Amino acid sequence: MARTPPVQSPPPDRGDATGSWLYNPAVRGAAYQVALAAAVVLILYEASTNAIENMRRLGIVSGFGFWNAPAGFDINQRLISYSSTYSTYGEAFWVGLLNTLLVASAGIVLATVIGFVVGIARLSRNRIVSFLAACYVEFFRNIPLLLQLYVWYNAVLRALPAPRQSLSTADAVFLNNRGLFVPAPVFGEGSGLLLVAAVLACAAIAVFGRWARRDQDRTGRQHATGLVSLALFAGFMALGWFAAGRPVTFNVPDLRGFNIVGGLQIYPEFVALLLGLSIYTASFIAEIVRAGMLSVSRGQTEAAYSLGLRPGITQRLVIIPQAMRVIVPPLTSQLLNLTKNSSLAVAIGYPDLVQVFMGTVLNQTGQAIECVVITMLVYLLLSLLTSLAMNIYNRRVAIVER
Amino acid sequence: MTTSGKTASAAYLRTTVAPPERPPPLTSGPLAWLRENLLSSPLNVALTLAGLYIVYVLVPPAVRFLLVDAVWTGEDRNACLVSAAGQPVGACWAFVASRLRYFVYGAYPDGQLWRVNLVFALCAAGIVWLLWTRAPRKDLGAIFFFGLFPVAAVVLLYGWPAIGLPHVHTSLWGGVVVTLVVAFAGIVVSLPFGVLLALGRRSRLPLVRLVSVTFIEFWRGVPLITVLIMANTMLPLFLPGNMSPDKLLRPLVGVALFASAYMAEVVRGGLQAIPKGQFEGAASLGLNYWQTTRLVVLPQALRIVIPGIVNTFIGLFKDTSLVSIVGIFDLMRTIEVSLADPRWATPVTAASGYAFAAIFYFVCCFGMSRYSIAMEKRLATGHKRQETDR
């Protein structure tokens, strides 16, 4: 929200009437501010001297020296190379941060999709559909996220069968109480060519899209942009695939003894956190979407119909673009909430930033202040970056006024 | 005009009476409603069938689990095992019943439970007084709820040996009591503090504004769980050496600061909605800043944001469950602890415990949100687009 300028008009200058500088608003304002500054400085000073004193008493050496010390604990899910034998606390931090970003970005996509589907379903003329959507929203919104995470993790995923009785599809995908095992792609020599092909495909799609729009503006002819894009992408990828000599093979998981070997293991902690976060946040997003759609005046729909647009096109070209202006700011704050709520990972043992750094590292090193400050700074940075991006977006979509 | 004789030969005139048209399809009644709302097009029919299927998949098993197959009485786990019941077993309410005292009061000593019950009763009275729109003397109600009641609650719960109430250490508190204490402390601190911060954020004085904005944006930018861990590990460091704050007090401080920042933003929304003329009117009457704020601005601004305050409180109420992560025995944690009890280890124990917690939180939060919506309707000015004309 843009800060509106302070609205109090300056009180009348009564300096002459009473003859005392005590009633001069400028003097008073300065006095208030000096008092506030003094209070803040005093609090900070007290807290820091106490902290220094306490740490000396407890024998805690402050500083970031621990950053390069060997960590000595394991983290099961990691996106970068990490091992308890040689990695440092600093590397553990990056593992945790990447895990947070992973679950947050997957959750953002999933929550947005579910939220839009449910939000639009709530506006459906079909009473059963809108009632079900309303039930979804009220149910998931009014139960604490922590409880939902416990249910997903302890009551749903833990209740899955043991590895030997895994639910499996085509002997390639296994689901059991240790997680979901899917074939892992192994990128052999020449995989880089696939990346090049993908980039080329995107470029071709962009060029075609621009041409299609210009052509439509000029001649009024419409082009099947979606189909052509799909074909372009598939074609380029197939070309790259064969040109590089089929570089990607799959490591298929396999049941050996009492456990599944190979493949890509998706941990139940991750699945529980992802499901919990997405489903919970989607209930809020659905309400935002609904409010956004309702905010577009009915006259817009009528005008579109009177121009002869069909309902689907009216939604896509008239209602939704205008609704997005209302939807996006609160949507972003919900997605930010999702990112912050991913810290509840600590409750079910998913190794996110808080669990790794504010949990294990803090307990092992005893560097409470450093760990807390670093973790909070990361989240603060995420929040500030998001609100910055939001402000830019708001300026771009703001209604242009005369 | 009866000029049929002259124009009978004109080709464009009908000579026979048109056949009667079919009556229009039903436009009212249940059948018309069905056709209009559920079966208007093939897609709509498909949606209806899919919706009915979802209902069929979800509702009967839920009813069967929660009511039909549920086990209501029993001494220990045997009652909730399939072999004993001889039929599929639903929720093990016997487990919840045997643990209910623990879920509500924690380990609060047996002889002193009346104190907790008295606090519950006072709290309920205060809530009714404040929320019931036709209750008299709301001002006294507010003084009672935000001034007298917290003091009385602390004296009753914590004890005061001088007047014959023995100390009950906070480590013995638990369950719903702690959940309510955390939520209540959050709201009692955050409401006045949030108002001050919101005023500070809109102040003319740059330093006041800076401090308020920094404070608000800091707490809103970090997750509550990090705040709680911070309160747990860093608060003792920041206080003079020999002071070690009570284990329950630490998360209370964290929750209160966190909630204040959110409350401040809600109140700011109300302050921004006050038209400029109100300030000018107050200034022309010769009121100073605090008089304007107290007598003109806040009464209007707070009224507008009642729904927002209630919504913030709902969020706060749900968030109280997070204190369980830092080792406080709130409702969530008492349930988690009870689930580990081998005397009640059955396949349905976890689901039953969670179902109980879900019902508790849902009833509280849903009730509050209904109240907030009702208030919104009362305060609405009648310019909003209605749900029905989309």
Side-chain angles (χ1 to χ4, degrees):
Chain A
M1 248 183 276
R3 186 192 304 141
T4 53
V7 287
Q8 289 87 27
S9 28
D13 190 347
R14 273 173 267 155
D16 293 339
T18 56
S20 165
W21 55 269
L22 265 177
Y23 292 99
N24 185 335
V27 173
R28 284 194 155 197
Y32 286 140
Q33 299 194 68
V34 167
L36 182 71
V40 169
V41 168
L42 188 70
I43 290 173
L44 290 181
Y45 173 77
E46 272 295 313
S48 52
T49 48
N50 281 334
I52 292 168
E53 171 65 26
N54 281 325
M55 284 198 295
R56 204 179 51 217
R57 199 164 43 85
L58 296 169
I60 303 173
V61 182
S62 68
F64 294 93
F66 72 98
W67 190 263
N68 289 320
F73 64 93
D74 244 322
I75 303 175
N76 61 6
Q77 181 185 315
R78 54 203 176 234
L79 296 177
I80 52 176
S81 131
Y82 175 90
S83 156
S84 60
T85 50
Y86 58 79
S87 291
T88 62
Y89 287 123
E91 285 168 274
F93 166 82
W94 290 111
V95 172
L97 178 57
L98 285 176
N99 281 341
T100 290
L101 294 178
L102 176 72
V103 78
S105 41
I108 281 173
V109 174
L110 200 56
T112 311
V113 171
I114 303 176
F116 269 79
V117 169
V118 175
I120 292 172
R122 257 204 100 167
L123 293 172
S124 166
R125 282 188 183 279
N126 188 315
R127 289 305 166 89
I128 291 182
V129 171
S130 62
F131 177 73
L132 281 176
C135 287
Y136 174 96
V137 170
E138 292 300 343
F139 183 78
F140 287 107
R141 196 165 64 148
N142 285 317
I143 292 177
L145 175 59
L146 184 66
L147 178 56
Q148 296 189 32
L149 288 179
Y150 281 141
V151 169
W152 284 114
Y153 186 62
N154 290 334
V156 177
L157 296 178
R158 285 279 191 78
L160 288 170
R164 295 199 62 158
Q165 284 84 39
S166 297
L167 311 169
S168 80
T169 310
D171 272 341
V173 178
F174 295 87
L175 180 65
N176 57 44
N177 59 11
R178 299 206 191 153
L180 179 68
F181 296 78
V182 294
V186 180
F187 295 100
E189 212 169 310
S191 301
L193 215 54
L194 282 181
L195 199 67
V196 174
V199 171
L200 283 178
C202 291
I205 288 170
V207 169
F208 175 76
R210 278 183 66 133
W211 174 82
R213 187 173 312 157
R214 288 233 183 106
D215 196 51
Q216 187 179 350
D217 286 348
R218 211 170 45 236
T219 64
R221 266 183 304 164
Q222 291 189 331
H223 298 274
T225 329
L227 277 179
V228 174
S229 304
L230 212 64
L232 276 175
F233 192 78
F236 269 97
M237 288 312 274
L239 260 176
W241 175 260
F242 288 112
R246 307 182 198 185
V248 181
T249 52
F250 284 93
N251 175 4
V252 179
D254 187 22
L255 178 67
R256 282 201 210 124
F258 290 99
N259 211 347
I260 307 268
V261 184
L264 180 69
Q265 183 180 9
I266 300 172
Y267 290 89
E269 292 85 13
F270 176 80
V271 178
L273 188 61
L274 178 62
L275 282 177
L277 281 175
S278 312
I279 289 177
Y280 179 75
T281 313
S283 66
F284 291 90
I285 294 178
E287 283 298 273
I288 291 168
V289 170
R290 169 167 158 263
M293 296 290 203
L294 285 177
S295 75
V296 180
S297 136
R298 189 167 164 69
Q300 296 287 326
T301 317
E302 288 163 352
Y305 285 169
S306 73
L307 286 175
L309 299 188
R310 278 180 279 119
I313 296 203
T314 304
Q315 283 284 332
R316 202 152 52 86
L317 297 181
V318 178
I319 308 295
I320 290 180
Q322 297 188 64
M324 284 314 269
R325 197 176 280 141
V326 181
I327 290 173
V328 168
L331 175 69
T332 327
S333 96
Q334 280 306 324
L335 297 180
L336 196 60
N337 275 350
L338 183 147
T339 310
K340 284 189 283 174
N341 280 336
S342 71
S343 57
L344 288 187
V346 70
I348 56 171
Y350 174 76
D352 82 323
L353 180 62
V354 171
Q355 205 259 349
V356 169
F357 207 66
M358 262 183 137
T360 318
V361 173
L362 192 155
N363 288 337
Q364 282 195 7
T365 62
Q367 306 282 355
I369 294 183
E370 291 84 351
C371 290
V372 169
V373 166
I374 290 175
T375 315
M376 285 187 151
L377 277 182
V378 169
Y379 283 102
L380 265 183
L381 203 65
L382 282 177
S383 301
L384 292 180
L385 284 180
T386 314
S387 48
L388 196 72
M390 208 58 266
N391 287 343
I392 294 172
Y393 173 87
N394 275 340
R395 222 168 294 141
R396 275 189 53 192
V397 303
I399 297 173
V400 182
E401 287 176 21
R402 277 166 294 168
Chain B
M1 287 208 268
T2 54
T3 52
S4 57
K6 277 181 197 167
T7 54
S9 61
Y12 54 82
L13 275 191
R14 193 197 280 280
T15 50
T16 53
V17 175
E21 291 213 350
R22 288 163 56 96
L26 289 177
T27 53
S28 65
L31 267 179
W33 186 89
L34 259 182
R35 188 149 47 188
E36 172 80 7
N37 286 307
L38 300 180
L39 309 167
S40 60
S41 69
L43 176 70
N44 212 347
V45 173
L47 282 176
T48 304
L49 290 180
L52 287 177
Y53 179 71
I54 293 176
V55 171
Y56 170 75
V57 168
L58 291 181
V59 174
V63 171
R64 221 175 299 137
F65 180 83
L66 291 176
L67 298 173
V68 179
D69 289 342
V71 177
W72 298 89
T73 53
E75 289 303 303
D76 56 7
R77 66 191 290 261
N78 289 322
C80 298
L81 290 175
V82 181
S83 54
Q87 56 163 20
V89 175
C92 187
W93 295 131
F95 156 71
V96 174
S98 85
R99 285 305 192 124
L100 196 58
R101 183 204 176 282
Y102 184 55
F103 291 163
V104 176
Y105 303 103
Y108 212 85
D110 268 322
Q112 309 291 329
L113 287 188
W114 63 271
R115 284 156 59 175
V116 182
N117 290 332
L118 186 57
V119 171
F120 282 160
L122 288 175
C123 182
I127 289 174
V128 169
W129 196 348
L130 281 185
L131 296 192
W132 187 35
T133 46
R134 279 188 301 180
R137 296 309 301 271
K138 283 276 170 65
D139 49 344
L140 285 184
I143 291 173
F144 167 73
F145 197 62
F146 293 108
L148 290 179
F149 172 66
V151 177
V154 168
V155 167
L156 278 169
L157 288 176
Y158 192 68
W160 189 4
I163 58 168
L165 293 172
H167 270 311
V168 179
H169 195 259
T170 53
S171 59
L172 296 176
W173 304 12
V176 174
V177 177
V178 167
T179 295
L180 290 182
V181 164
V182 176
F184 187 78
I187 192 85
V188 165
V189 176
S190 72
L191 210 49
F193 209 44
V195 170
L196 278 184
L197 282 169
L199 290 172
R201 196 170 179 161
R202 287 172 56 79
S203 163
R204 286 183 291 122
L205 310 173
L207 198 65
V208 175
R209 214 158 53 217
L210 179 74
V211 169
S212 307
V213 170
T214 314
F215 185 93
I216 293 172
E217 293 306 326
F218 175 76
W219 295 112
R220 277 163 44 91
V222 296
L224 177 57
I225 186 70
T226 62
V227 175
L228 292 176
I229 296 178
M230 180 179 103
N232 227 14
T233 57
M234 282 168 64
L235 206 56
L237 286 181
F238 285 147
L239 292 174
N242 45 9
M243 268 173 73
S244 176
D246 184 275
K247 280 263 164 40
L248 181 60
L249 194 62
R250 298 178 194 178
L252 283 188
V253 173
V255 166
L257 293 175
F258 189 78
S260 303
Y262 281 85
M263 201 57 88
E265 287 299 275
V266 171
V267 175
R268 181 166 74 116
L271 293 180
Q272 279 176 347
I274 305 295
K276 200 173 168 168
Q278 297 289 324
F279 294 94
E280 289 164 353
S284 72
L285 287 176
L287 301 186
N288 66 22
Y289 175 76
W290 288 108
Q291 285 169 328
T292 310
T293 305
R294 194 165 53 84
L295 300 173
V296 179
V297 178
L298 280 185
Q300 300 182 66
L302 288 181
R303 250 176 92 88
I304 303 174
V305 294
I306 287 176
I309 292 175
V310 176
N311 285 341
T312 310
F313 184 66
I314 294 174
L316 174 65
F317 190 76
K318 285 187 292 176
D319 280 347
T320 58
S321 58
L322 265 62
V323 298
S324 66
I325 295 177
V326 290
I328 303 299
F329 279 79
D330 77 324
L331 176 63
M332 273 313 298
R333 192 157 162 95
T334 53
I335 288 176
E336 278 288 298
V337 168
S338 302
L339 294 184
D341 183 354
R343 282 173 302 163
W344 283 100
T346 73
V348 292
T349 308
S352 312
Y354 292 142
F356 172 73
I359 291 170
F360 172 79
Y361 282 110
F362 182 83
V363 167
C364 294
C365 297
F366 188 69
M368 285 188 274
S369 81
R370 287 292 109 177
Y371 175 81
S372 149
I373 289 172
M375 277 313 277
E376 224 164 324
K377 285 218 178 98
R378 271 177 65 94
L379 299 171
T381 45
H383 294 301
K384 245 184 124 185
R385 198 182 202 204
Q386 289 302 304
E387 178 95 356
T388 45
D389 54 61
R390 47 182 91 107

